[in-house]
Structure formats: C-alpha cells, structure tokens
Amino acid sequence: MGDAAKTWDSWTDAVANGGIVALLNSRTTDAMVKPNSYSQNTMKEIVSKYQNQARLINVGRKNTNFKNQTVIYTLSESLTMPKYVPGLTVDNNPLSNISQIMNNTSSGHMISSGYGGGTAGIEYSTLTGFAIPAYKPTVTMPYSQLTNSINEKSTITGQFDKKIVIHPYIGTFYNRRAVYKNMGINYFYTTDSGKPIQYTASIDDGSNISDNSAYKNVLSKISKGDGSQFIQLLTMQNHLPWTFSGRDYNVIEPTDSNIDLDTVESYLQGLHYTDSATKSFLDRLNKLERPVTLVWYGDHWPGIFSFVNTTTDALSAHSTPYFIWQNDAAKKANGTVDVSQKYADPSDFTAMMMKMNNMKVDPYWALKTELLEKVPAINNYKRDDDGKISFIDKSGKSIDESSLTSNQQKLVKDFKLVQYDITTGKNYLLKTKFFQKVK
C-alpha cells in the first residue's frame, strides 16, 4: 500500500503514512522465536545457574560497585577508520590520535548492525546487552517496537545511582524520551530539553554541533559527589551533511568514477576534528581525581563509499573502531585488565567494561561475561527468520550457530531465553534476583 516506514521518528512516520499505519509500524507481536524450553521452571534454573557463575567470577574481582566513579559511553556518529574501507587510500591518517589511544588500551573492531544508519539499534545493544540478530528481521527499531520491555533493572543503567544522557541535537528521534524514562535516566540533555545543553558551537558554520562542544557538555556534568554516575554521549558532528571546508586529508585511491570525492574528503576532515577533540577530552579526564572509565565507539559507516561492495565486503562495511579506557584515577582505584577483542559486538561492551575494572557482577552480567569469554563475537549484521545467530571468529570468518561447540551452544541458548523472557515473554526474571545492583 506504499507504506515507507520512518522508524527513526514516529511523528515523521505519521506525517508520511498516516497515524494508524505509523502505530502499526511501531509495534510487533512476534519479535523473537520462542525457545522450545521456555517456561517458568527453565528460567528458575537459569537464575540458579548464573547466581553460581557470578559467585565464581566474583571471587577473582575486588570491586563491588562504581561508588565515587563515573562511567561514560560515547557513541561517535558515523565514524569508521579510513583503513577499514577496502580500496580507499588517504595521504595521511585523520584519526592518528585515536589510533594511538587504541594501541595503548583495550580496543578493536566493533561489528555494527547498521550501514549508513541504525544508530539507535546499536545504542540499544550497548545499554541492554541484548543482541539485535536474536530478533526476527521485522524488528528494525527496538526503541520503538519494544519500548515496554526496556527497563532499568536489565540495563547497564541499573548499576548506577545517577544517570544522564547528552545528545547535541533535538531529543524527539527514536522514541528516546520514553525509553530513557523506562531506563531510569535522570535527565536527557538536548538542544530542546527543559534545561538544554550548554555548549552548542559547530565547525565551519555546519548544521551539527561539534564533538569538541559535545565533550565540553560531558565534562560539565561529571559528578563531584560520592554516588556512582553513568553518562551516555551521542555525538552529531559527523552526521550528514558533511560541510567541513578544510581539505587536510586527500584521497589517493580509488579512481572509481562513482566516488563523490568532495564529500569523502569533507568527511575525512570531520574525522580529524573528532580525533583532536577526543584526545583533548581524554587529557581532561585524566586530570580528574574522580575515577572515570570511557567506552567509546563508532556506530556505523557513513553511506558515502559507493565503490565498496557491501555484500562481498560485509564485515569491513560493518566494522568501526572501539576502545575502553580508564583515567589514571580509575586504574589506581580498580586496577586494570586488558579486555581487547579483535571483533566485538556492542552488546559485549558492558561485560568488557566491568571486567576491565575488576567489578563484581550480578547473574545477568555473569552470563554476558561467559559469552564474552567463551563464544565468538556475534555477527551483528546478519539476520535470520528462525532466530539463529551467526558469529565472527578472531580471523574474521563467519561461523553458524550450529557449528559452535555444545558448551557454546548452551550459553547461546541461555542468552536467548533471557532475552526472550524480558522482551517478548512473561518477565519471570524480573521477579527474581537475576538482575540486581551489585552492592
């Protein structure tokens, strides 16, 4: 009937398709394949199993919570490494500082579920620990389609006393206001919030607020109190359109006639500005006496590399950089563990961050830690109607779920049961101590 869903914004969808169709677009009754063994008794067994596993993990971890500390998750909009782009040669590296940071802390390739878009889906995975490929392909925007299943207990936000989100843009897209309320976010700072963000400067009179300004907003909100604090930053500088006037980084190859050279070189200039701002941000964080841990990642490629075959080069086209970094105060307070994974799914980030800081875990994050340590990274861009998940090994090879070892398959089965129970099932786990703030 000509329905063209605008899943990023319900108002835009209603204008384009009508209110009734927009409502239908935002709902799904069949998000996941129901696991055959799903029942209340099965979920009780999972609670017991991972309570025991949490106890085993916690024997080797000295820290019980993030009291007096801040954890920052930064989603860097449309950012990837030029060297990840097949056939692209640039005369210099616009991300030289970030490359050096990655060499000196836990880092690797994040496997994105999106190409040229899909920001909120990737953000959803980082906060919930749930995997997009475990859903049916009909679930394209969990924030809109699964709003009621999102809650504070089963997300990273449940581990913190105070939590805020900073987004240097308007706050209406992706149903974020409703979702953040469910997550227990105390305040969502945007350009149109009741108390708007303070720093709004752009570069070259661009339409998007700069990363330098975005980082200043974060620095202004870092707590000086004794409670634990979570901050999420969603940047906008490198979102289209790319209108940076500088041309300090020039494309040598490819000579493909399809390339929009001006747009690509403007994008590279934006990466340079991100690189400089990120280094300055970390330098400022390192001067703080308060322990700070930063999880930083690019969400997806920009859709401008027309010369790349996104089917044959699918892994490259869905690879972005990530790093997990501690300031000196966090290293002193928590110790540090290298948690680098060559390929990581964004749903792994919280388990990685907690392991780096020697933090004790509840049963849910114990399950996520087991997956992190014993199962290859989830292939985040491949979807299956039957709910089967594929994986990426350390060499970049795709592995079917059926090819995993029996122990790995059991872990994946447990994870699917948990995700099903919370998002589509009867929420048995929310009535137990499976999700609980570690004290």
Side-chain angles (χ1 to χ4, degrees):
M1 295 175 63
D3 175 28
K6 316 293 184 184
T7 53
W8 61 90
D9 182 34
S10 58
W11 185 86
T12 303
D13 199 18
V15 170
N17 300 302
I20 293 174
V21 173
L23 178 64
L24 296 174
N25 282 336
S26 70
R27 296 292 179 267
T28 179
T29 58
D30 192 22
M32 281 185 73
V33 174
K34 182 179 179 179
N36 292 331
S37 59
Y38 180 68
S39 69
Q40 187 170 11
N41 285 336
T42 298
M43 302 318 292
K44 285 180 179 179
E45 291 171 3
I46 283 181
V47 172
S48 178
K49 178 178 180 179
Y50 290 100
Q51 281 177 331
N52 291 333
Q53 191 59 43
R55 280 192 283 268
L56 292 173
I57 291 171
N58 291 342
V59 167
R61 298 195 181 183
K62 67 176 186 178
N63 302 308
T64 55
N65 55 56
F66 286 97
K67 185 177 181 181
N68 301 313
Q69 300 193 35
T70 295
V71 171
I72 304 168
Y73 279 25
T74 294
L75 180 156
S76 190
E77 172 64 38
S78 298
L79 188 140
T80 193
M81 288 275 187
K83 68 180 182 180
Y84 293 177
V85 183
L88 180 69
T89 303
V90 182
D91 62 358
N92 207 345
N93 180 12
L95 294 176
S96 58
N97 289 312
I98 289 174
S99 295
Q100 185 173 2
I101 292 164
M102 292 175 69
N103 287 336
N104 292 310
T105 191
S106 298
S107 63
H109 298 68
M110 187 199 82
I111 305 172
S112 177
S113 57
Y115 172 81
T119 297
I122 295 122
E123 176 197 352
Y124 169 85
S125 287
T126 65
L127 298 180
T128 63
F130 294 147
I132 296 292
Y135 294 123
K136 287 192 171 185
T138 50
V139 177
T140 58
M141 195 59 59
Y143 274 2
S144 298
Q145 294 169 283
L146 303 172
T147 306
N148 292 337
S149 72
I150 299 170
N151 62 82
E152 183 177 5
K153 290 179 69 174
S154 62
T155 65
I156 178 57
T157 59
Q159 298 295 318
F160 293 86
D161 300 319
K162 302 173 184 176
K163 39 258 182 180
I164 65 174
V165 176
I166 298 170
H167 184 36
Y169 199 64
I170 58 175
T172 55
F173 285 176
Y174 300 116
N175 199 35
R176 281 192 174 111
R177 287 196 172 108
V179 167
Y180 291 157
K181 183 178 180 181
N182 290 354
M183 287 184 186
I185 298 296
N186 301 116
Y187 206 86
F188 180 27
Y189 292 96
T190 64
T191 55
D192 61 347
S193 54
K195 185 177 181 181
I197 57 171
Q198 182 177 357
Y199 301 98
T200 59
S202 62
I203 298 173
D204 296 335
D205 296 321
S207 57
N208 295 319
I209 293 171
S210 72
D211 283 356
N212 185 53
S213 296
Y215 289 143
K216 284 183 178 180
N217 285 301
V218 172
L219 289 165
S220 72
K221 301 300 180 186
I222 292 178
S223 175
K224 295 180 175 61
D226 61 2
S228 58
Q229 182 190 36
F230 177 80
I231 301 175
Q232 177 175 254
L233 169 66
L234 309 164
T235 74
M236 278 298 292
Q237 176 191 289
N238 294 317
H239 193 283
L240 60 81
W242 298 280
T243 57
F244 307 112
S245 59
R247 291 295 181 274
D248 295 329
Y249 300 87
N250 304 121
V251 173
I252 299 173
E253 294 180 4
T255 56
D256 191 304
S257 60
N258 290 325
I259 187 172
D260 183 343
L261 194 61
D262 186 61
T263 297
V264 170
E265 291 186 346
S266 179
Y267 171 74
L268 295 174
Q269 192 71 26
L271 296 185
H272 163 69
Y273 295 137
T274 295
D275 187 64
S276 177
T278 302
K279 181 182 184 302
S280 297
F281 181 49
L282 267 61
D283 289 343
R284 292 282 300 276
L285 292 177
N286 215 27
K287 293 177 182 178
L288 299 178
E289 294 183 2
R290 183 179 180 88
V292 177
T293 302
L294 172 67
V295 176
W296 188 99
Y297 61 98
D299 61 342
H300 56 72
W301 276 27
I304 59 175
F305 300 115
S306 55
F307 52 89
V308 175
N309 187 320
T310 58
T311 300
T312 58
D313 289 311
L315 181 57
S316 295
H318 293 85
S319 289
T320 67
Y322 80 86
F323 64 81
I324 306 177
W325 175 94
Q326 299 161 297
N327 68 355
D328 288 343
K331 291 177 183 177
K332 183 178 179 180
N334 304 329
T336 189
V337 177
D338 184 4
V339 295
S340 297
Q341 300 281 331
K342 182 173 182 181
Y343 296 104
D345 178 76
S347 70
D348 291 330
F349 285 160
T350 294
M352 295 168 75
M353 181 274 296
M354 295 180 84
K355 182 179 179 180
M356 172 182 266
N357 284 294
N358 288 296
M359 287 291 166
K360 298 182 187 295
V361 293
D362 66 12
Y364 176 56
W365 296 113
L367 167 59
K368 291 297 299 181
T369 301
E370 287 287 278
L371 287 162
L372 171 69
E373 295 179 346
K374 297 179 180 178
V375 179
I378 291 172
N379 184 339
N380 206 14
Y381 55 85
K382 189 173 181 180
R383 307 288 291 274
D384 186 292
D385 281 327
D386 295 326
K388 294 180 180 178
I389 300 175
S390 65
F391 301 83
I392 301 290
D393 69 13
K394 293 180 180 179
S395 67
K397 180 183 177 182
S398 182
I399 303 171
D400 291 335
E401 187 176 333
S402 59
S403 299
L404 298 176
T405 68
S406 59
N407 286 335
Q408 289 173 329
Q409 289 186 46
K410 287 177 183 176
L411 282 170
V412 173
K413 180 182 177 181
D414 289 349
F415 174 60
K416 287 182 179 179
L417 281 162
V418 170
Q419 185 163 329
Y420 181 85
D421 180 67
I422 296 302
T423 62
T424 304
K426 297 186 178 180
N427 299 155
Y428 296 127
L429 292 175
L430 293 180
K431 303 177 182 72
T432 71
K433 294 184 178 180
F434 190 74
F435 303 101
Q436 84 185 105
K437 189 174 182 179
V438 181
K439 298 180 180 179

